[in-house]
Amino acid sequence: MDALRLILILSLLSFSSSAVAADNGGEKVTLGLYYESLCPYCSNLIVNYLYKLFESDLISITDLELIPYGNAKVHPNGTITCQHGPYECLLNTVEACAIDVWPDVKDHFPFIYCVESLVYQHNYTYWETCFEKLGLDASPVTDCYKGKRGTELILRYAAKTNALQPPHRYVPWVVVDGQPLYDDYRNFAYYICKAYKGTTKPTACTGLSFGLIRKVKMNLFDTLYGDKISQSKLFEAVQAILSWLQRNKTVASL
């Protein structure tokens, strides 16, 4: 399935453009994903949710920015440690280098998607196969992550991550035009459409009200249960409701 999805992403990216934003004068909405390469929640977001940007015309109004650093630490002696160990530091740097070598999202996202698909499948040690799968020259990325440039990029992402206001609490940390989505990050499409100021919104924005529905449900649960149910349980219940609604396409306009 991931291989077929990767082919789909590549074909969709080849036809993607900024036509909607250009036609009606709207500025693109920035979608920032602060993540770390071996975080299971991060790979799940990239593999099962973020790729949907390219399934429709939503990417035409979205400036997608990936920041692979997450909960890593830069120590006074200049060394960098990562939450999931040295291999995560390696892949963070590899992905940072891919973004640097291929700055256009249509070029670097398929590679990052490929790597994170292997992370999701617990096969991340085979990440180098993504060069061959995508027909990419590995040498620029290899030279980058093995040299000083890779470290420079990670330090840049460290500074960017540490400058977040409010500070990130966990990963994935998703922001839309600088505003964090907190635990509603999977519903990024709703927030992109809400933030877009153009006169004509993409067709992908039609009927998107998941974020609003989630807020209504959270208020309902708080009213019914108060302190008798934990926030994590509330979130799980809300996500289950939203997933059911999405599957059955019965989301009502609120």
Side-chain angles (χ1 to χ4, degrees):
M1 180 180 293
D2 286 329
L4 292 175
R5 189 182 290 171
L6 185 57
I7 293 171
L8 175 62
I9 290 171
L10 287 169
S11 63
L12 290 170
L13 281 169
S14 66
F15 292 103
S16 65
S17 70
S18 57
V20 173
D23 286 346
N24 56 51
E27 295 292 331
K28 284 191 173 185
V29 177
T30 299
L31 174 65
L33 169 58
Y34 293 78
Y35 72 105
E36 54 197 23
S37 58
L38 295 188
C39 161
Y41 300 103
C42 299
S43 61
N44 178 55
L45 177 63
I46 292 170
V47 172
N48 294 318
Y49 294 88
L50 198 60
Y51 84 93
K52 294 179 182 180
L53 276 174
F54 309 99
E55 280 192 324
S56 66
D57 52 355
L58 190 60
I59 190 61
S60 68
I61 65 166
T62 306
D63 181 11
L64 176 60
E65 184 178 12
L66 303 173
I67 303 94
Y69 178 76
N71 296 320
K73 301 291 184 184
V74 180
H75 299 279
N77 63 359
T79 60
I80 302 170
T81 57
C82 297
Q83 182 171 345
H84 298 94
Y87 217 104
E88 179 166 80
C89 284
L90 168 64
L91 289 185
N92 283 351
T93 308
V94 167
E95 295 187 14
C97 286
I99 296 168
D100 187 57
V101 170
W102 305 303
D104 194 315
V105 69
K106 75 176 186 295
D107 296 323
H108 66 248
F109 183 78
F111 178 80
I112 290 174
Y113 176 90
C114 181
V115 174
E116 291 302 318
S117 294
L118 293 173
V119 172
Y120 188 71
Q121 298 164 7
H122 308 290
N123 290 325
Y124 57 83
T125 57
Y126 296 98
W127 66 270
E128 290 177 285
T129 62
C130 288
F131 293 116
E132 182 178 354
K133 289 176 183 177
L134 296 168
L136 298 171
D137 179 6
S139 56
V141 173
T142 302
D143 292 343
C144 173
Y145 82 79
K146 289 185 176 180
K148 292 182 180 180
R149 181 60 176 168
T151 302
E152 291 173 356
L153 293 171
I154 290 299
L155 292 176
R156 181 188 301 175
Y157 285 143
K160 189 175 181 68
T161 302
N162 292 334
L164 280 167
Q165 291 298 329
H168 83 287
R169 300 178 187 174
Y170 42 76
V171 288
W173 189 255
V174 180
V175 298
V176 171
D177 277 355
Q179 299 301 310
L181 303 189
Y182 298 101
D183 59 8
D184 203 26
Y185 59 83
R186 294 182 186 88
N187 294 319
F188 56 82
Y190 165 78
Y191 294 95
I192 292 170
C193 293
K194 182 180 179 181
Y196 184 58
K197 305 303 182 185
T199 55
T200 304
K201 292 187 177 181
T203 56
C205 293
T206 304
L208 278 177
S209 55
F210 295 116
L212 183 57
I213 285 180
R214 180 187 179 279
K215 291 179 181 178
V216 171
K217 298 299 183 183
M218 288 293 283
N219 290 337
L220 174 61
F221 273 100
D222 283 338
T223 300
L224 292 175
Y225 297 103
D227 295 334
K228 294 180 181 180
I229 186 169
S230 69
Q231 289 297 310
S232 62
K233 293 297 183 183
L234 281 173
F235 179 65
E236 291 174 4
V238 170
Q239 289 302 114
I241 292 170
L242 293 177
S243 296
W244 183 88
L245 288 171
Q246 188 173 13
R247 287 197 304 270
N248 290 276
K249 298 181 179 180
T250 58
V251 178
S253 177
L254 298 180

